[in-house]
Amino acid sequence: MNNFQKLATGVNVLPLLLAIKRRPELWKADTYLRDYPQGPFGDVESILLRFPPISVHETEEELKNHLSTFDQHENYDRPEYKELHEARDLIMPLMTMVQGERLGRCIINKVNAGGRIYPHADTPSHADYYSRFHIVLQSSPGVVFISGDEQVYMEQSSIWWFNNKLEHEVINNSGEERIHLVVDIRTSR
């Protein structure tokens, strides 16, 4: 496999998963990804832990002016990251494992049973700068993750790198929610 690499199994994801279940309102705190026009995330609920300070509702001109004033790769801790401090216990060891130099976006994505993330490729500037990792909080057989011409099932409590430069998608054919912590890291490798 060239587009996926399993990095770890048996990761203790239960504290974060339980914290999320205790705070269901966090799924509705910010709907940027879901609301993005023509975006691939219409079926997805997200908790943005770290993200750039951009709103989907800005006009193109406002966005252009906004982008010129900051580093496009900078991401900021959001209040949800503080509320779900259990996420740090997964993110920081991953940073160490992959010799991370800079932490980027951190997002918890939920795809309901029967839902999907539609085919898309991440922007080249972002995908060239950061490596993409998935920490699988909840998943069942029937969830298919496709990148390029390869596909995998990522089992719960595992960590994966995948090639987000290629077109990719997720199809949840299982009977339960698929929940991943997506972490972008600039690595020294």
Side-chain angles (χ1 to χ4, degrees):
M1 284 204 162
N2 297 314
N3 301 330
F4 297 97
Q5 181 181 4
K6 188 188 303 187
L7 302 178
T9 58
V11 177
N12 185 10
V13 299
L14 191 57
L16 179 56
L17 193 56
L18 290 173
I20 293 166
K21 299 229 185 244
R22 285 191 302 269
R23 296 176 185 91
E25 71 281 0
L26 293 179
W27 293 115
K28 306 293 185 208
D30 192 310
T31 59
Y32 173 81
L33 290 176
R34 179 181 269 256
D35 294 344
Y36 196 81
Q38 294 87 39
F41 300 103
D43 287 354
V44 178
E45 290 184 275
S46 299
I47 301 172
L48 305 180
L49 303 176
R50 287 181 49 83
F51 208 74
I54 298 174
S55 167
V56 71
H57 303 292
E58 291 181 278
T59 66
E60 284 297 319
E61 190 59 36
E62 288 172 323
L63 185 58
K64 229 184 262 184
N65 292 336
H66 191 72
L67 288 175
S68 68
T69 63
F70 77 98
D71 175 354
Q72 69 171 326
H73 300 298
E74 188 59 62
N75 292 268
Y76 299 92
D77 290 357
R78 297 175 46 89
E80 295 82 359
Y81 194 36
K82 188 173 187 176
E83 286 186 53
L84 293 174
H85 59 85
E86 297 86 354
R88 291 180 192 274
D89 294 338
L90 297 170
I91 293 168
M92 292 304 150
L94 176 59
M95 284 279 292
T96 300
M97 177 193 308
V98 300
Q99 298 177 1
E101 296 177 345
R102 186 177 193 183
L103 182 60
R105 295 176 185 168
C106 297
I107 305 168
I108 301 170
N109 285 328
K110 174 173 66 171
V111 181
N112 289 322
R116 67 185 304 169
I117 298 174
Y118 291 89
H120 69 285
D122 292 359
T123 59
S125 63
H126 185 82
D128 287 340
Y129 188 84
Y130 283 112
S131 294
R132 171 71 47 89
F133 301 92
H134 279 242
I135 301 173
V136 184
L137 304 180
Q138 181 174 296
S139 191
S140 294
V143 175
V144 180
F145 198 134
I146 302 164
S147 179
D149 61 353
E150 298 175 356
Q151 65 182 35
V152 296
Y153 161 64
M154 296 179 176
E155 71 274 7
Q156 188 165 327
S157 303
S158 61
I159 300 176
W160 293 73
W161 165 87
F162 96 96
N163 185 354
N164 61 323
K165 295 177 187 181
L166 301 177
E167 184 174 86
H168 53 277
E169 67 181 303
V170 175
I171 304 167
N172 186 355
N173 291 320
S174 79
E176 72 174 355
E177 299 165 337
R178 175 259 199 197
I179 305 173
H180 282 203
L181 171 55
V182 179
V183 181
D184 288 344
I185 300 175
R186 173 90 172 159
T187 64
S188 58
R189 292 181 183 182

